[in-house]
Amino acid sequence: MKFNLAAVTLTALLGLAACSSPDRFGPGGPGDATGLYDPNNPGFGNGSVTTGPLDPGSAEYFQQSVGDRVLFAVDQSSISPEARSTLMAQANWLNSNPGYTAIIEGHADEQGTREYNLALGARRASSARDFLVSQGVSAARLRTVTYGKERPIEVCSTESCYAQNRRAVTVVASGMPVS
């Protein structure tokens, strides 16, 4: 089989040029230098840098400015004063943005059995949900899920890592079904 070296070289160069085009996805795409965030495009904006002020009614604003997670003490699901402050801010944001629903994820550190940590994660998610409901957020807009120790932020065997994994994370989305 004989290859035309010029054709192979040209094809390779065109492929590389396409990969390096900063606007190959069009305006707002991952290569767009404007840094715009499109919350309606799942997968875009993950890890991207946004320039300018965030829209206070956006999910990105909720995550970065309000705070999407609260931490818990070892083997606990009760709301600490620090967690209460974050959850109050979450409730205020959710009450001001009724077009959003939320899933509250419960997590645990890697210590203990899988079953124990799934139950503990469920209790943590329920505690956060119950607090949000007590602050006027409609229960119909919230649901919970537990991941136990299955989705750690940090994987190591130190207290500082364990502490980050003992959490409830509120994930908001516009028009997301909660049933």
Side-chain angles (χ1 to χ4, degrees):
M1 186 175 229
K2 220 176 192 186
F3 289 99
N4 181 339
L5 184 58
V8 171
T9 304
L10 180 61
T11 303
L13 288 173
L14 288 174
L16 287 173
C19 290
S20 64
S21 176
D23 63 350
R24 67 186 176 276
F25 298 107
D32 183 16
T34 64
L36 297 175
Y37 174 75
D38 181 8
N40 297 317
N41 182 357
F44 176 69
N46 298 334
S48 68
V49 176
T50 303
T51 58
L54 294 174
D55 174 9
S58 71
E60 186 177 33
Y61 179 89
F62 177 87
Q63 181 183 30
Q64 292 181 11
S65 300
V66 175
D68 66 346
R69 69 196 60 215
V70 294
L71 302 178
F72 293 87
V74 176
D75 297 326
Q76 296 295 311
S77 59
S78 57
I79 305 295
S80 69
E82 296 83 15
R84 179 179 302 274
S85 175
T86 300
L87 288 169
M88 287 177 74
Q90 288 183 9
N92 289 336
W93 189 90
L94 285 164
N95 286 329
S96 298
N97 295 280
Y100 283 86
T101 58
I103 297 173
I104 304 160
E105 302 174 345
H107 299 270
D109 62 34
E110 65 187 55
Q111 302 173 92
T113 66
R114 181 177 186 275
E115 293 77 18
Y116 176 81
N117 284 319
L118 284 170
L120 181 57
R123 289 192 304 275
R124 288 174 174 165
S126 291
S127 289
R129 180 185 179 278
D130 292 347
F131 186 89
L132 293 171
V133 169
S134 78
Q135 298 301 302
V137 179
S138 169
R141 294 173 56 203
L142 306 172
R143 77 175 175 100
T144 62
V145 63
T146 181
Y147 292 112
K149 63 182 179 179
E150 305 302 318
R151 293 188 177 185
I153 290 176
E154 295 288 335
V155 179
C156 63
S157 297
T158 65
E159 177 53 31
S160 64
C161 290
Y162 291 151
Q164 293 178 56
N165 292 328
R166 297 188 294 261
R167 68 196 189 281
V169 179
T170 304
V171 181
V172 297
S174 180
M176 177 176 67
V178 292
S179 56

